[in-house]
Amino acid sequence: MVKLTLGSFGDCFSSTSLKAYLAEFNATFIFVFAGVGSAIAFGKLTSGGALDPAGLVAIAIAHAFALFVGVSIAANISGGHLNPAVTFGLTIGGHITILNGLHYILAQVWGSILACFVLRFVTGESIPTHGLGAGVGIGQGLVFEIIATFALVYTVYATAADPKKGSLGTIAPIAIGFIVGANILAAGPFSGGSMNPARSFGPAAASGDFSQIWIYWVGPLIGGGLAGLVYGDIFIGSYAPVASSEDYA
């Protein structure tokens, strides 16, 4: 079942919430600066040539490393979402209120936009945007983004949001970074492997190209929402309180 909670305006502007928004802004800026920067660097080194297997691997690794760091530095303050699809999936499961979630998303989007405009200024290069690969239809691209984002948000739930995560919580940023890197390797040549509306919106704003941006909002939000429903309802929602006399070794 969906566990949406509206929240209060007072809580949205509390000191704790404001610090969380700033943490999301900063961490998303760092993630996008490194991720988009790696794509710009590849284009610079190859004189704007087409993405090759080595370049795809390098960009996937850069995103995985940057997301690992971004989640790690924000986890204790905001939870380390860095992604509107993650925030939406966690909102569906009742882990964050709707009002706080909307502010998280605004912070993430603005962090991404600023990172891309800074990159355009310091590199003097055009900002690469997400787009469907040659021969890839809109439906195919949407399914790629839905599945990839489902895997990402499912991983977030399993390693960070699940109350029974135990020691897995200490490796959550690594697992989250790894699934993003793996999905970029799988989906990159087809849908771009975004999984993150903020990651796609920043380059679109800096380049002025919004032609396919809707795909990178609709697909990830559907995937993130489905992951929130599946993991939050089927697994977390089915947990029963442990009897006080029950002992676990």
Side-chain angles (χ1 to χ4, degrees), residues 91 162 165 180 186:
T91 301
D162 191 330
K165 63 184 180 295
V180 165

Side-chain angles (χ1 to χ4, degrees), residues 1-7 11 81 85-101 104 153 157 161-163 224-234 236-237:
M1 295 290 292
V2 176
K3 302 173 183 177
L4 295 175
T5 304
L6 179 61
D11 179 60
H81 297 190
V86 171
T87 299
F88 182 65
L90 292 172
T91 301
I92 291 291
H95 293 273
I96 184 173
T97 67
I98 294 173
L99 292 177
N100 274 341
Y104 267 48
V153 179
Y157 262 93
D162 191 330
L226 287 174
L229 285 172
V230 171
Y231 203 102
D233 193 40
I234 295 177
I236 296 177

Side-chain angles (χ1 to χ4, degrees), residues 13 70 86-87 124 144 160 193 209 220:
F13 297 101
V86 171
T87 299
F144 255 113
D209 181 6

Side-chain angles (χ1 to χ4, degrees), residues 85 141-150 195-197 213-226:
L142 278 172
V143 171
F144 255 113
E145 289 299 315
I146 290 170
I147 294 174
T149 311
F150 178 91
M195 300 164 276
N196 186 333
I213 191 60
W214 69 271
I215 294 173
Y216 301 103
W217 279 93
V218 174
L221 290 178
I222 291 175
L226 287 174

Side-chain angles (χ1 to χ4, degrees), residues 178-204:
F178 277 6
I179 191 61
V180 165
N183 280 340
I184 290 174
L185 290 175
F190 302 97
S191 70
S194 171
M195 300 164 276
N196 186 333
R199 164 63 180 82
S200 296
F201 192 84

Side-chain angles (χ1 to χ4, degrees), residues 71 155-156 159-160 167-177:
V71 172
T155 301
V156 171
T159 62
S167 60
L168 281 177
T170 62
I171 66 168
I174 298 175
I176 294 167

Side-chain angles (χ1 to χ4, degrees), residues 8-142:
S8 67
F9 285 100
D11 179 60
C12 284
F13 297 101
S14 68
S15 173
T16 299
S17 293
L18 292 175
K19 289 177 182 177
Y21 308 150
L22 180 59
E24 286 294 306
F25 176 89
N26 290 339
T28 306
F29 177 95
I30 291 169
F31 165 61
V32 174
F33 188 89
V36 176
S38 69
I40 295 173
F42 171 80
K44 180 77 170 180
L45 292 173
T46 58
S47 300
L51 185 64
D52 59 22
L56 177 63
V57 171
I59 291 171
I61 291 174
H63 279 79
F65 283 176
L67 187 59
F68 161 60
V69 172
V71 172
S72 297
I73 62 177
N76 292 335
I77 305 170
S78 65
H81 297 190
L82 284 69
N83 183 339
V86 171
T87 299
F88 182 65
L90 292 172
T91 301
I92 291 291
H95 293 273
I96 184 173
T97 67
I98 294 173
L99 292 177
N100 274 341
L102 289 173
H103 285 87
Y104 267 48
I105 291 172
L106 287 173
Q108 294 155 3
V109 169
W110 280 111
S112 177
I113 291 173
L114 181 60
C116 291
F117 273 99
V118 170
L119 279 168
R120 193 177 74 173
F121 173 73
V122 298
T123 65
E125 303 286 335
S126 60
I127 304 298
T129 60
H130 278 127
L132 301 179
V136 178
I138 290 174
Q140 294 168 306
L142 278 172

